[in-house]
């Protein structure tokens, strides 16, 4: 399988990059070393020495220089080889290592996996709620041994929540919700409005409707290749949306390989910001939903599919799938166009 390369992928939460040292993560099958330079900016280079391919993450860092642990070539954080301790000490021109454009934005580190000349930070999607000045933020990272497009389906079609997350995030009102799918350029909006819902327990604890019927909207925007904004909002049934409370969040899927995914998620609230008990309860709720309900299902789905192509299986398409299917088609076209432009 091939990936879209000329786009930004979420590589890590900003706090994952240590002030000193480095960490490494495989993205689109490439092992990448992330390190902050002397000014605190995150840099990304291939985690593979150009000599005999030792991982530089095993090396020694002194200032902004990393020494390969195998034969001692030294590299700076832009990937330039700056020292060859052997023989005539000349630095071969092919000894430099690939560097990747990175940008810190929305509390995340974003990486550009394609042509560096085309890396435009304005192409990073506008996420909502990732501002600690204005919101209390629950967020996390979940490694999932499954293909990222199935994880996109999971968010784009929230019709699963009354089954997989019954009583926690879902209710029967989700099944009869109005679904509205729109496309704007390459962005797909998959919006769901559930009317007259008695909120399930976890949501009642957050939104405090007092057990009264509510309208709940779950609006997802998908940005290629697999970055989604999800806004969940609640009002008393029939009341205008603008007077409701909302939880904006991000669901960002970054392929590690064809069959494994880095999943970064967030959920923000600008109400009851100092309610630490609520915050801890929400953390537990998300852990239960994502780690113990979504993830096992996505792994079971992976095993049932057994490596066959999604389209070759002629999947049944239900009304709520329209957004997910649109996203898959757009992504496929973007990858095809990108590859055609290269050849
Ligand atoms: S593998 Fe790095 S110097 Fe030989
Ligand atoms: Fe789910």
């Amino acid at each position: 399988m091939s990936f879209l390369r000329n786009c930004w992928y979420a590589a890590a939460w900003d706090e994952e990059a240590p002030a000193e040292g480095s960490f490494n993560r495989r993205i689109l099958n490439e092992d990448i070393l992330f390190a902050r330079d002397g000014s605190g900016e995150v840099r990304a280079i291939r985690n593979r020495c150009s000599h005999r391919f030792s991982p530089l993450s095993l090396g020694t860092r002194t200032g902004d220089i990393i020494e390969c642990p195998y034969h001692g070539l030294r590299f700076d954080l832009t990937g330039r080889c700056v020292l060859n301790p052997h023989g005539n000490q000349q630095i071969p021109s092919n000894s430099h290592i690939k560097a990747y454009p990175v940008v810190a934005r929305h509390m995340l580190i974003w990486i550009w996996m394609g042509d560096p000349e085309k890396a435009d930070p304005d192409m990073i999607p506008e996420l909502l709620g990732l501002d600690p000045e204005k919101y209390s933020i629950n967020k996390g990272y979940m490694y999932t041994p499954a293909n990222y497009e199935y994880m996109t389906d999971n968010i784009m079609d929230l019709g699963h929540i009354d089954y997989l997350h019954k009583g926690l995030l879902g209710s029967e009102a989700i099944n009869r919700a109005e679904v509205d799918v729109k496309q704007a350029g390459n962005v797909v909006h998959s919006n769901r409005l559930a009317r007259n819902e008695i909120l399930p327990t976890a949501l009642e604890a957050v939104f405090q409707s007092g057990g009264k019927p509510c309208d709940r909207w779950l609006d997802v925007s998908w940005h290629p290749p697999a970055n989604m904004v999800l806004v969940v909002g609640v009002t008393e049934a029939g009341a205008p949306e603008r007077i409701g409370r909302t939880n904006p969040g991000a669901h960002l899927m970054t392929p590690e390989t064809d069959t494994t995914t880095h999943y970064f998620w967030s959920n923000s609230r600008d109400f009851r910001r100092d309610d630490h008990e609520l915050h801890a309860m929400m953390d537990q709720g998300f852990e239960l939903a994502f780690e113990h309900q979504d993830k096992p299902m996505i792994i079971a789905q992976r095993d049932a599919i057994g490596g066959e192509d999604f389209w070759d299986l002629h999947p049944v398409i239900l009304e709520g799938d329209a957004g997910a299917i649109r996203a898959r088609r757009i992504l496929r076209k973007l990858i095809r166009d990108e590859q055609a432009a290269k050849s």
Side-chain angles (χ1 to χ4, degrees), residues 154-155 157-158 160-161 164-165 169 263 289-290 293-294:
N154 183 258
I155 303 296
D157 178 10
L158 294 173
H160 75 273
I161 67 178
L164 208 50
H165 311 301
L169 303 176
Y263 174 21
F290 300 160
Q293 295 176 336
D294 285 313

Side-chain angles (χ1 to χ4, degrees), residues 102-124:
V102 279
V103 170
R105 188 171 292 178
H106 305 312
M107 304 173 78
L108 289 146
I109 296 160
W110 298 83
I111 189 162
W112 180 270
M113 298 298 291
D115 178 356
E117 299 277 305
K118 297 191 169 137
D120 174 3
D122 287 347
M123 288 169 66
I124 295 173

